[in-house]
Amino acid sequence: MSVTSRYRGAWEGFWSEAPEDRGAVFWDAEPVLTAGRHLADFEPHLTHPALPLIDLGCGNGTQTRYLAERFPHVVGADLSAAALDHARRADPGGSAAYRRLDAADRAEAEALHAELGDANVYVRGVLHQCEPDDRQPLADALAVLLGAHGRAFLVEPSPTAKAVLTDLARGPAGPPAKLAPVLRHGLTPAAVPDEAIPEHLRAAGLTVLASGELPLITTEYTADGTRIELPSTWVVAGAGSTRPSG
């Protein structure tokens, strides 16, 4: 199973029009506020930190490049060729590798696993943007990428984040400038119940090792200058329940 052509086209359209400027995309916050925070909860559960690390749904690669400074082999994977073009232009030194990947397609996940072997995977705000029918296939493909030894970190907006975004979109001046193109391309975040994330992972044969809550930082601000943060939940999952040694 693969994603719908409508969904693929929406992402291609969004990234084809997205500015190159740092922080110009709604969710493209500084890594120290995003991946940096997430690693504090992810790294203690990495039983094999030297495995390749896949930044799944890497977009323009801002977090990928940060991760590449901390792990020996990082691959940014995204559905959108236009997004990967952004990522490669922003990484002329090739600190990471970049691959087009339909993460709802098990065959593509199997091909990448055959190339890389077991991998650790970082997933930020991907599941909630998927079509409902693609969520379980994505979790199944994630299990393929992890194999027996990999660990996954997923962070997704909570259902209450949808209300925050709706209020922003309906403000007197319309949606904030960085949110407007997201809505225009039909990428409106869907509400995924918090409990649905571990359910999808367990259905894929994975074990949830840890979970918690963190704000999902954006690059946009309210009229009074307050940074917009979305309530989110995170989980760490893997094929087993073994804790890191030492």
Side-chain angles (χ1 to χ4, degrees):
M1 180 178 181
S2 63
V3 299
T4 65
S5 59
R6 184 211 67 79
Y7 182 63
R8 187 191 300 270
W11 279 111
E12 288 293 358
F14 174 83
W15 282 112
S16 293
E17 296 179 7
E20 299 277 353
D21 301 340
R22 185 174 181 176
V25 172
F26 183 70
W27 54 79
D28 195 31
E30 305 93 310
V32 70
L33 300 177
T34 47
R37 288 188 179 183
H38 300 148
L39 286 180
D41 294 305
F42 190 20
E43 287 184 309
H45 298 278
L46 294 177
T47 54
H48 296 80
L51 290 177
L53 176 67
I54 301 172
D55 181 9
L56 187 60
C58 69
N60 62 3
T62 297
Q63 311 307 317
T64 317
R65 296 187 295 278
Y66 178 86
L67 294 169
E69 296 174 358
R70 288 153 180 81
F71 294 92
H73 184 194
V74 175
V75 177
D78 203 279
L79 174 68
S80 167
L84 295 172
D85 287 342
H86 276 273
R88 292 186 181 104
R89 286 194 294 270
D91 188 9
S95 65
Y98 299 95
R99 286 284 295 270
R100 190 172 186 181
L101 179 71
D102 179 347
D105 189 320
R106 185 182 181 91
E108 291 195 21
E110 289 174 343
L112 185 55
H113 182 265
E115 177 183 332
L116 298 178
D118 291 359
N120 296 313
V121 185
Y122 175 69
V123 189
R124 182 174 69 106
V126 174
L127 195 67
H128 80 113
Q129 281 282 10
C130 289
E131 303 280 358
D133 289 346
D134 288 331
R135 292 173 192 154
Q136 188 58 51
L138 187 146
D140 294 342
L142 180 61
V144 170
L145 295 172
L146 297 180
H149 303 294
R151 294 289 183 260
F153 182 92
L154 296 88
V155 58
E156 299 288 341
S158 300
T160 51
K162 189 175 181 69
V164 174
L165 293 169
T166 299
D167 288 345
L168 289 170
R170 293 177 177 173
K178 296 177 186 177
L179 180 59
V182 178
L183 303 177
R184 186 173 67 252
H185 286 281
L187 300 172
T188 309
V192 179
D194 290 341
E195 64 274 12
I197 298 171
E199 288 173 0
H200 283 305
L201 295 173
R202 292 186 185 110
L206 297 173
T207 299
V208 174
L209 305 173
S211 62
E213 298 180 356
L214 275 176
L216 199 62
I217 309 299
T218 77
T219 61
E220 190 60 277
Y221 295 81
T222 61
D224 65 3
T226 302
R227 170 97 71 158
I228 295 172
E229 300 182 359
L230 304 178
S232 72
T233 59
W234 60 266
V235 299
V236 176
S241 57
T242 303
R243 298 286 179 176
S245 60

